[in-house]
Amino acid sequence: MTAERTATLDDVAKAAGVSRATASRVVTGQGPASRHARDRVAAAVAALGYVPDAAARALVTRTGTRLAIAVIGHTAAVLDDPYVGRVLTTAAHVAAEREVGVSLHWLPLNDPGSLARLADGRGLGGLVVVNPTRPALETVPRNLRGRVVAIGVGARDVPSFDVDNRAGTEGVVRHLVRTGRRRIAMVTGPAWLPCGDRAVEAYRQVLHDSGGEPRVVPGDFTAVRGARAAAEIMARWPDTDAVFALSDLTALGVLDGLHALGVQVPGDVAVAGFDDIAFAGLSRPALTTSTHPVEEIATAAAQAVLDRHNTGRATFFPSRLVVRDSA
Amino acid sequence: MTAERTATLDDVAKAAGVSRATASRVVTGQGPASRHARDRVAAAVAALGYVPDAAARALVTRTGTRLAIAVIGHTAAVLDDPYVGRVLTTAAHVAAEREVGVSLHWLPLNDPGSLARLADGRGLGGLVVVNPTRPALETVPRNLRGRVVAIGVGARDVPSFDVDNRAGTEGVVRHLVRTGRRRIAMVTGPAWLPCGDRAVEAYRQVLHDSGGEPRVVPGDFTAVRGARAAAEIMARWPDTDAVFALSDLTALGVLDGLHALGVQVPGDVAVAGFDDIAFAGLSRPALTTSTHPVEEIATAAAQAVLDRHNTGRATFFPSRLVVRDSA
DNA sequence: CCCACACATGAGAGCGCTTCCACCGCAATA
DNA sequence: TATTGCGGTGGAAGCGCTCTCATGTGTGGG
């Protein structure tokens, strides 16, 4: 019997000379217990290094209190972007405050069913899906309905939290127009990310209003793609006088690409981004952009799902124009 | 009995007309099962939308197959740094490949006991601790021994994975010396992070060898702190001709602070960082730095803990000098 | 002095699952 | 025909915990 076994509640009860029921009451803090029993159990817990088994507890309480965060779209692009990391850490922080565990799920883009699979259901308190596609959201299992929120685009029964892409884009493009730019190109996000559509729409609208022709180049939120986009844009439309990228990372890439081409920023071409990441203010020229309150969004999403506060369809967080040197 | 209840294995067995034991065998794929039984159970599973209860399964199998990632030191600094996000996403990716879940834990710096608490033990397959302190590592519960690795500094029974801070720092500082700099200042990482010690040592050593006096200013890996550090350095030692920061983020801040002071980089003062983050190549002037193979490190750590491959004390990943424009 | 009423306690059921074990039938071998 | 072997199967135990319920054990009021 010298086998190294982790202590169970029974061991604690035996050591403390009480029943398992009493030990449980003391450990969980639920129900009455005499001073004497409390002390003895506490001592036993300390002596044995007892840690409650989460699985056993979850099994009986059925109170799945764990926040799952699923990130859709597993590409290197997502990895490089500080965005996902910030969402993760923020949500984890909110969860930690409420002493609920967080589980992380990294889902491929082309396998919507994986969302259903991760829901080993009853253990889950809620689910935050980052950057979902609508089809993926349709596969959320029924036992999770009402406990799922999306960061990005939502769906039926799935409220969404996102930055106001439309207004943010409008703000930036209007600023470009206001400062005399007319031949404004745009580098979008990845095509599969539906929330970028609103931004493209807004861009087209403002351009239409100001008599410009849309010049849209597809992007993927990476800096490398931004540099290539810059070359592409200047080749196709040499008279371009401004580039708006739907991501600061891409905008910084554009800056780099333009620099390589010998194009002056903002002299020849103005450049603006979106997100206001930490580095936006550190580039030379410092990047003009519009804020993306990631922490606020992630906090709201995590709270909503944790508080079962599933009201409303979609919440858009305001984006604020930050004018620096590049535009 | 119209109550909306999630299906259990019993329900499946009943619907398929087999015993629970057989249903379990089919679902888990363990043990023999006739073709006929397999088909019927599979049909029942599909019809009922059955999803196994992870808690119940974990309770009986005792095979905690879940990778826990604990990040120590919950400060805004950690949040802004892309480092943690990259570690997280990489580790989660490794775990996903092996179809094991990942749980995320955000631990305060001053409560080492929290590490013990998160180990609701038996549900855990392994634990990766990011940026631990030695005291925190001492509190790892015994039932987890041999299944814990550290990214950063390690401890007894806890192998560590980290970049070779010493060699990396040597490389950078030697480069500065080689290019004629002699009055080289260093901005360190946060004091509680023990893995920075080796870097400071290396810096002192190289300076000693080249006849320079150490000029150490404490940092915290943030850009803001870097800007302030630049001002501090130029005030205390106006003849400084190079600044080495133990983090690119800080180095970019130094660049910014120097710019504000009207100091030319690299003309008056050379600046070098450490990490080679995505933005290092995008700053103006582009940052000279030394690589920090975060993805490699996180992958190795996750694999080690998942494979129970607990050999060796510490693995240092080589850092490669990247010379750009700032030094 | 006895009953009512708190409070503290322990026995035991049961959460949903895996897995040991005994069992059954059937083909292959002696 | 009697014996072995084996794939397939169901009964039942039990993982570690929570929680209901019945049973003490002490207090104060009638």
Side-chain angles (χ1 to χ4, degrees), chain A residues 8-9 20 24 28 50 57 60:
Chain A
T8 74
L9 191 55
R20 188 173 63 233
S24 174
T28 59
Y50 170 73
R57 181 176 278 178
V60 50

PDB file of all heavy atoms in Angstrom, chain A residues 8-9 20 24 28 50 57 60, chain D residues 15-22:
ATOM      1  N   THR A   8      -7.941  11.374  -2.227  1.00  0.00           N
ATOM      2  CA  THR A   8      -9.329  11.640  -2.587  1.00  0.00           C
ATOM      3  C   THR A   8     -10.051  12.214  -1.374  1.00  0.00           C
ATOM      4  O   THR A   8      -9.505  12.261  -0.269  1.00  0.00           O
ATOM      5  CB  THR A   8     -10.051  10.362  -3.019  1.00  0.00           C
ATOM      6  OG1 THR A   8     -10.318   9.583  -1.852  1.00  0.00           O
ATOM      7  CG2 THR A   8      -9.198   9.557  -3.986  1.00  0.00           C
ATOM      8  N   LEU A   9     -11.269  12.592  -1.608  1.00  0.00           N
ATOM      9  CA  LEU A   9     -12.053  13.156  -0.523  1.00  0.00           C
ATOM     10  C   LEU A   9     -12.247  12.122   0.593  1.00  0.00           C
ATOM     11  O   LEU A   9     -12.309  12.475   1.763  1.00  0.00           O
ATOM     12  CB  LEU A   9     -13.407  13.624  -1.051  1.00  0.00           C
ATOM     13  CG  LEU A   9     -14.240  14.476  -0.101  1.00  0.00           C
ATOM     14  CD1 LEU A   9     -13.457  15.680   0.363  1.00  0.00           C
ATOM     15  CD2 LEU A   9     -15.528  14.889  -0.755  1.00  0.00           C
ATOM     16  N   ARG A  20     -17.515  11.448   4.558  1.00  0.00           N
ATOM     17  CA  ARG A  20     -17.194  12.107   3.303  1.00  0.00           C
ATOM     18  C   ARG A  20     -18.115  13.314   3.073  1.00  0.00           C
ATOM     19  O   ARG A  20     -17.701  14.345   2.560  1.00  0.00           O
ATOM     20  CB  ARG A  20     -17.346  11.122   2.148  1.00  0.00           C
ATOM     21  CG  ARG A  20     -16.853  11.690   0.858  1.00  0.00           C
ATOM     22  CD  ARG A  20     -16.852  10.667  -0.249  1.00  0.00           C
ATOM     23  NE  ARG A  20     -18.182  10.193  -0.537  1.00  0.00           N
ATOM     24  CZ  ARG A  20     -18.530   8.916  -0.562  1.00  0.00           C
ATOM     25  NH1 ARG A  20     -17.636   7.999  -0.296  1.00  0.00           N
ATOM     26  NH2 ARG A  20     -19.756   8.566  -0.842  1.00  0.00           N
ATOM     27  N   SER A  24     -16.905  17.020   2.296  1.00  0.00           N
ATOM     28  CA  SER A  24     -17.338  17.732   1.102  1.00  0.00           C
ATOM     29  C   SER A  24     -17.895  19.102   1.460  1.00  0.00           C
ATOM     30  O   SER A  24     -17.576  20.105   0.817  1.00  0.00           O
ATOM     31  CB  SER A  24     -18.402  16.912   0.368  1.00  0.00           C
ATOM     32  OG  SER A  24     -18.923  17.653  -0.708  1.00  0.00           O
ATOM     33  N   THR A  28     -16.203  22.471  -0.031  1.00  0.00           N
ATOM     34  CA  THR A  28     -16.934  23.345  -0.949  1.00  0.00           C
ATOM     35  C   THR A  28     -17.435  24.604  -0.267  1.00  0.00           C
ATOM     36  O   THR A  28     -17.774  25.568  -0.935  1.00  0.00           O
ATOM     37  CB  THR A  28     -18.150  22.613  -1.538  1.00  0.00           C
ATOM     38  OG1 THR A  28     -18.996  22.200  -0.467  1.00  0.00           O
ATOM     39  CG2 THR A  28     -17.720  21.408  -2.346  1.00  0.00           C
ATOM     40  N   TYR A  50      -4.529  17.610  -0.674  1.00  0.00           N
ATOM     41  CA  TYR A  50      -5.724  17.242  -1.438  1.00  0.00           C
ATOM     42  C   TYR A  50      -6.152  18.341  -2.404  1.00  0.00           C
ATOM     43  O   TYR A  50      -6.174  19.520  -2.072  1.00  0.00           O
ATOM     44  CB  TYR A  50      -6.869  16.939  -0.475  1.00  0.00           C
ATOM     45  CG  TYR A  50      -8.201  16.784  -1.156  1.00  0.00           C
ATOM     46  CD1 TYR A  50      -8.483  15.661  -1.912  1.00  0.00           C
ATOM     47  CD2 TYR A  50      -9.168  17.786  -1.063  1.00  0.00           C
ATOM     48  CE1 TYR A  50      -9.701  15.531  -2.541  1.00  0.00           C
ATOM     49  CE2 TYR A  50     -10.385  17.660  -1.689  1.00  0.00           C
ATOM     50  CZ  TYR A  50     -10.649  16.528  -2.432  1.00  0.00           C
ATOM     51  OH  TYR A  50     -11.852  16.410  -3.059  1.00  0.00           O
ATOM     52  N   ARG A  57     -16.265  16.343  -9.901  1.00  0.00           N
ATOM     53  CA  ARG A  57     -17.141  17.419  -9.450  1.00  0.00           C
ATOM     54  C   ARG A  57     -18.069  17.858 -10.572  1.00  0.00           C
ATOM     55  O   ARG A  57     -19.279  18.015 -10.381  1.00  0.00           O
ATOM     56  CB  ARG A  57     -16.283  18.589  -8.967  1.00  0.00           C
ATOM     57  CG  ARG A  57     -17.068  19.742  -8.446  1.00  0.00           C
ATOM     58  CD  ARG A  57     -16.174  20.821  -7.906  1.00  0.00           C
ATOM     59  NE  ARG A  57     -15.724  20.543  -6.531  1.00  0.00           N
ATOM     60  CZ  ARG A  57     -14.910  21.334  -5.863  1.00  0.00           C
ATOM     61  NH1 ARG A  57     -14.440  22.419  -6.434  1.00  0.00           N
ATOM     62  NH2 ARG A  57     -14.557  21.045  -4.640  1.00  0.00           N
ATOM     63  N   VAL A  60     -21.060  15.528 -11.326  1.00  0.00           N
ATOM     64  CA  VAL A  60     -22.255  15.538 -10.492  1.00  0.00           C
ATOM     65  C   VAL A  60     -22.931  16.906 -10.472  1.00  0.00           C
ATOM     66  O   VAL A  60     -24.153  16.991 -10.463  1.00  0.00           O
ATOM     67  CB  VAL A  60     -21.927  15.054  -9.062  1.00  0.00           C
ATOM     68  CG1 VAL A  60     -20.744  15.787  -8.514  1.00  0.00           C
ATOM     69  CG2 VAL A  60     -23.113  15.201  -8.153  1.00  0.00           C
TER      70      VAL A  60
ATOM     71  P    DC D  15     -13.483   2.985  -6.975  1.00  0.00           P
ATOM     72  OP1  DC D  15     -12.403   2.080  -6.548  1.00  0.00           O
ATOM     73  OP2  DC D  15     -14.446   3.522  -5.992  1.00  0.00           O
ATOM     74  O5'  DC D  15     -12.830   4.227  -7.732  1.00  0.00           O
ATOM     75  C5'  DC D  15     -12.080   4.048  -8.931  1.00  0.00           C
ATOM     76  C4'  DC D  15     -12.318   5.251  -9.817  1.00  0.00           C
ATOM     77  O4'  DC D  15     -13.538   5.054 -10.553  1.00  0.00           O
ATOM     78  C3'  DC D  15     -12.523   6.546  -9.039  1.00  0.00           C
ATOM     79  O3'  DC D  15     -11.267   7.214  -8.938  1.00  0.00           O
ATOM     80  C2'  DC D  15     -13.507   7.338  -9.893  1.00  0.00           C
ATOM     81  C1'  DC D  15     -14.121   6.301 -10.841  1.00  0.00           C
ATOM     82  N1   DC D  15     -15.596   6.103 -10.737  1.00  0.00           N
ATOM     83  C2   DC D  15     -16.424   6.301 -11.851  1.00  0.00           C
ATOM     84  O2   DC D  15     -15.913   6.665 -12.912  1.00  0.00           O
ATOM     85  N3   DC D  15     -17.761   6.095 -11.730  1.00  0.00           N
ATOM     86  C4   DC D  15     -18.268   5.697 -10.572  1.00  0.00           C
ATOM     87  N4   DC D  15     -19.577   5.504 -10.502  1.00  0.00           N
ATOM     88  C5   DC D  15     -17.446   5.495  -9.424  1.00  0.00           C
ATOM     89  C6   DC D  15     -16.131   5.706  -9.551  1.00  0.00           C
ATOM     90  P    DG D  16     -10.659   7.523  -7.496  1.00  0.00           P
ATOM     91  OP1  DG D  16      -9.240   7.820  -7.700  1.00  0.00           O
ATOM     92  OP2  DG D  16     -11.085   6.482  -6.547  1.00  0.00           O
ATOM     93  O5'  DG D  16     -11.405   8.872  -7.083  1.00  0.00           O
ATOM     94  C5'  DG D  16     -11.214  10.022  -7.868  1.00  0.00           C
ATOM     95  C4'  DG D  16     -12.334  10.993  -7.581  1.00  0.00           C
ATOM     96  O4'  DG D  16     -13.590  10.385  -7.910  1.00  0.00           O
ATOM     97  C3'  DG D  16     -12.444  11.413  -6.109  1.00  0.00           C
ATOM     98  O3'  DG D  16     -12.364  12.827  -6.058  1.00  0.00           O
ATOM     99  C2'  DG D  16     -13.806  10.891  -5.668  1.00  0.00           C
ATOM    100  C1'  DG D  16     -14.558  10.786  -6.977  1.00  0.00           C
ATOM    101  N9   DG D  16     -15.610   9.783  -6.979  1.00  0.00           N
ATOM    102  C8   DG D  16     -15.558   8.533  -6.424  1.00  0.00           C
ATOM    103  N7   DG D  16     -16.644   7.840  -6.608  1.00  0.00           N
ATOM    104  C5   DG D  16     -17.470   8.686  -7.332  1.00  0.00           C
ATOM    105  C6   DG D  16     -18.791   8.485  -7.819  1.00  0.00           C
ATOM    106  O6   DG D  16     -19.500   7.489  -7.707  1.00  0.00           O
ATOM    107  N1   DG D  16     -19.262   9.603  -8.510  1.00  0.00           N
ATOM    108  C2   DG D  16     -18.546  10.761  -8.689  1.00  0.00           C
ATOM    109  N2   DG D  16     -19.151  11.721  -9.371  1.00  0.00           N
ATOM    110  N3   DG D  16     -17.314  10.957  -8.242  1.00  0.00           N
ATOM    111  C4   DG D  16     -16.842   9.885  -7.576  1.00  0.00           C
ATOM    112  P    DC D  17     -12.502  13.624  -4.727  1.00  0.00           P
ATOM    113  OP1  DC D  17     -11.640  14.811  -4.817  1.00  0.00           O
ATOM    114  OP2  DC D  17     -12.373  12.721  -3.586  1.00  0.00           O
ATOM    115  O5'  DC D  17     -14.000  14.109  -4.831  1.00  0.00           O
ATOM    116  C5'  DC D  17     -14.323  15.117  -5.762  1.00  0.00           C
ATOM    117  C4'  DC D  17     -15.786  15.078  -6.100  1.00  0.00           C
ATOM    118  O4'  DC D  17     -16.210  13.709  -6.184  1.00  0.00           O
ATOM    119  C3'  DC D  17     -16.707  15.668  -5.047  1.00  0.00           C
ATOM    120  O3'  DC D  17     -16.859  17.061  -5.326  1.00  0.00           O
ATOM    121  C2'  DC D  17     -18.007  14.924  -5.257  1.00  0.00           C
ATOM    122  C1'  DC D  17     -17.617  13.679  -6.043  1.00  0.00           C
ATOM    123  N1   DC D  17     -17.989  12.396  -5.403  1.00  0.00           N
ATOM    124  C2   DC D  17     -19.247  11.854  -5.646  1.00  0.00           C
ATOM    125  O2   DC D  17     -20.035  12.477  -6.358  1.00  0.00           O
ATOM    126  N3   DC D  17     -19.574  10.667  -5.090  1.00  0.00           N
ATOM    127  C4   DC D  17     -18.696  10.024  -4.322  1.00  0.00           C
ATOM    128  N4   DC D  17     -19.051   8.840  -3.807  1.00  0.00           N
ATOM    129  C5   DC D  17     -17.402  10.560  -4.057  1.00  0.00           C
ATOM    130  C6   DC D  17     -17.097  11.738  -4.609  1.00  0.00           C
ATOM    131  P    DT D  18     -17.470  18.012  -4.203  1.00  0.00           P
ATOM    132  OP1  DT D  18     -17.143  19.386  -4.593  1.00  0.00           O
ATOM    133  OP2  DT D  18     -17.110  17.493  -2.868  1.00  0.00           O
ATOM    134  O5'  DT D  18     -19.034  17.773  -4.428  1.00  0.00           O
ATOM    135  C5'  DT D  18     -19.618  18.216  -5.643  1.00  0.00           C
ATOM    136  C4'  DT D  18     -21.096  17.881  -5.650  1.00  0.00           C
ATOM    137  O4'  DT D  18     -21.291  16.473  -5.422  1.00  0.00           O
ATOM    138  C3'  DT D  18     -21.922  18.604  -4.594  1.00  0.00           C
ATOM    139  O3'  DT D  18     -23.131  19.019  -5.219  1.00  0.00           O
ATOM    140  C2'  DT D  18     -22.176  17.534  -3.544  1.00  0.00           C
ATOM    141  C1'  DT D  18     -22.252  16.280  -4.397  1.00  0.00           C
ATOM    142  N1   DT D  18     -21.890  15.003  -3.720  1.00  0.00           N
ATOM    143  C2   DT D  18     -22.752  13.931  -3.826  1.00  0.00           C
ATOM    144  O2   DT D  18     -23.800  13.976  -4.428  1.00  0.00           O
ATOM    145  N3   DT D  18     -22.317  12.793  -3.184  1.00  0.00           N
ATOM    146  C4   DT D  18     -21.144  12.621  -2.469  1.00  0.00           C
ATOM    147  O4   DT D  18     -20.877  11.551  -1.956  1.00  0.00           O
ATOM    148  C5   DT D  18     -20.296  13.783  -2.407  1.00  0.00           C
ATOM    149  C7   DT D  18     -19.004  13.707  -1.670  1.00  0.00           C
ATOM    150  C6   DT D  18     -20.703  14.908  -3.018  1.00  0.00           C
ATOM    151  P    DC D  19     -24.031  20.185  -4.582  1.00  0.00           P
ATOM    152  OP1  DC D  19     -24.404  21.114  -5.652  1.00  0.00           O
ATOM    153  OP2  DC D  19     -23.362  20.686  -3.367  1.00  0.00           O
ATOM    154  O5'  DC D  19     -25.325  19.376  -4.134  1.00  0.00           O
ATOM    155  C5'  DC D  19     -25.769  18.276  -4.932  1.00  0.00           C
ATOM    156  C4'  DC D  19     -26.802  17.485  -4.165  1.00  0.00           C
ATOM    157  O4'  DC D  19     -26.177  16.339  -3.552  1.00  0.00           O
ATOM    158  C3'  DC D  19     -27.465  18.265  -3.017  1.00  0.00           C
ATOM    159  O3'  DC D  19     -28.807  17.867  -2.962  1.00  0.00           O
ATOM    160  C2'  DC D  19     -26.683  17.789  -1.801  1.00  0.00           C
ATOM    161  C1'  DC D  19     -26.476  16.331  -2.168  1.00  0.00           C
ATOM    162  N1   DC D  19     -25.349  15.678  -1.446  1.00  0.00           N
ATOM    163  C2   DC D  19     -25.377  14.305  -1.238  1.00  0.00           C
ATOM    164  O2   DC D  19     -26.325  13.656  -1.666  1.00  0.00           O
ATOM    165  N3   DC D  19     -24.350  13.718  -0.578  1.00  0.00           N
ATOM    166  C4   DC D  19     -23.330  14.463  -0.128  1.00  0.00           C
ATOM    167  N4   DC D  19     -22.342  13.830   0.512  1.00  0.00           N
ATOM    168  C5   DC D  19     -23.286  15.869  -0.324  1.00  0.00           C
ATOM    169  C6   DC D  19     -24.305  16.436  -0.982  1.00  0.00           C
ATOM    170  P    DT D  20     -29.902  18.870  -2.355  1.00  0.00           P
ATOM    171  OP1  DT D  20     -30.310  19.759  -3.459  1.00  0.00           O
ATOM    172  OP2  DT D  20     -29.435  19.427  -1.079  1.00  0.00           O
ATOM    173  O5'  DT D  20     -31.103  17.857  -2.062  1.00  0.00           O
ATOM    174  C5'  DT D  20     -31.377  16.802  -2.989  1.00  0.00           C
ATOM    175  C4'  DT D  20     -31.717  15.534  -2.246  1.00  0.00           C
ATOM    176  O4'  DT D  20     -30.530  14.985  -1.625  1.00  0.00           O
ATOM    177  C3'  DT D  20     -32.743  15.719  -1.115  1.00  0.00           C
ATOM    178  O3'  DT D  20     -33.751  14.735  -1.248  1.00  0.00           O
ATOM    179  C2'  DT D  20     -31.922  15.523   0.154  1.00  0.00           C
ATOM    180  C1'  DT D  20     -30.840  14.562  -0.315  1.00  0.00           C
ATOM    181  N1   DT D  20     -29.582  14.572   0.469  1.00  0.00           N
ATOM    182  C2   DT D  20     -29.103  13.380   0.971  1.00  0.00           C
ATOM    183  O2   DT D  20     -29.654  12.320   0.815  1.00  0.00           O
ATOM    184  N3   DT D  20     -27.921  13.504   1.666  1.00  0.00           N
ATOM    185  C4   DT D  20     -27.199  14.669   1.912  1.00  0.00           C
ATOM    186  O4   DT D  20     -26.157  14.643   2.554  1.00  0.00           O
ATOM    187  C5   DT D  20     -27.768  15.872   1.361  1.00  0.00           C
ATOM    188  C7   DT D  20     -27.077  17.171   1.575  1.00  0.00           C
ATOM    189  C6   DT D  20     -28.923  15.772   0.665  1.00  0.00           C
ATOM    190  P    DC D  21     -35.147  14.925  -0.462  1.00  0.00           P
ATOM    191  OP1  DC D  21     -36.206  14.473  -1.381  1.00  0.00           O
ATOM    192  OP2  DC D  21     -35.189  16.271   0.138  1.00  0.00           O
ATOM    193  O5'  DC D  21     -35.028  13.873   0.729  1.00  0.00           O
ATOM    194  C5'  DC D  21     -34.449  12.598   0.463  1.00  0.00           C
ATOM    195  C4'  DC D  21     -33.958  11.971   1.765  1.00  0.00           C
ATOM    196  O4'  DC D  21     -32.650  12.475   2.101  1.00  0.00           O
ATOM    197  C3'  DC D  21     -34.864  12.276   2.973  1.00  0.00           C
ATOM    198  O3'  DC D  21     -35.287  11.053   3.535  1.00  0.00           O
ATOM    199  C2'  DC D  21     -33.950  13.065   3.913  1.00  0.00           C
ATOM    200  C1'  DC D  21     -32.575  12.594   3.506  1.00  0.00           C
ATOM    201  N1   DC D  21     -31.488  13.555   3.826  1.00  0.00           N
ATOM    202  C2   DC D  21     -30.311  13.103   4.429  1.00  0.00           C
ATOM    203  O2   DC D  21     -30.190  11.892   4.686  1.00  0.00           O
ATOM    204  N3   DC D  21     -29.334  13.991   4.725  1.00  0.00           N
ATOM    205  C4   DC D  21     -29.494  15.291   4.434  1.00  0.00           C
ATOM    206  N4   DC D  21     -28.500  16.125   4.745  1.00  0.00           N
ATOM    207  C5   DC D  21     -30.684  15.776   3.835  1.00  0.00           C
ATOM    208  C6   DC D  21     -31.654  14.881   3.560  1.00  0.00           C
ATOM    209  P    DA D  22     -36.494  11.053   4.590  1.00  0.00           P
ATOM    210  OP1  DA D  22     -37.539  10.169   4.020  1.00  0.00           O
ATOM    211  OP2  DA D  22     -36.827  12.430   5.001  1.00  0.00           O
ATOM    212  O5'  DA D  22     -35.812  10.289   5.796  1.00  0.00           O
ATOM    213  C5'  DA D  22     -35.057   9.107   5.538  1.00  0.00           C
ATOM    214  C4'  DA D  22     -34.036   8.902   6.645  1.00  0.00           C
ATOM    215  O4'  DA D  22     -33.050   9.958   6.597  1.00  0.00           O
ATOM    216  C3'  DA D  22     -34.627   8.920   8.058  1.00  0.00           C
ATOM    217  O3'  DA D  22     -34.057   7.873   8.803  1.00  0.00           O
ATOM    218  C2'  DA D  22     -34.234  10.289   8.588  1.00  0.00           C
ATOM    219  C1'  DA D  22     -32.900  10.524   7.882  1.00  0.00           C
ATOM    220  N9   DA D  22     -32.541  11.930   7.702  1.00  0.00           N
ATOM    221  C8   DA D  22     -33.335  12.926   7.207  1.00  0.00           C
ATOM    222  N7   DA D  22     -32.748  14.099   7.154  1.00  0.00           N
ATOM    223  C5   DA D  22     -31.476  13.856   7.648  1.00  0.00           C
ATOM    224  C6   DA D  22     -30.359  14.685   7.858  1.00  0.00           C
ATOM    225  N6   DA D  22     -30.359  15.996   7.570  1.00  0.00           N
ATOM    226  N1   DA D  22     -29.255  14.125   8.370  1.00  0.00           N
ATOM    227  C2   DA D  22     -29.263  12.817   8.656  1.00  0.00           C
ATOM    228  N3   DA D  22     -30.254  11.934   8.504  1.00  0.00           N
ATOM    229  C4   DA D  22     -31.332  12.520   7.990  1.00  0.00           C
TER     230       DA D  22
END
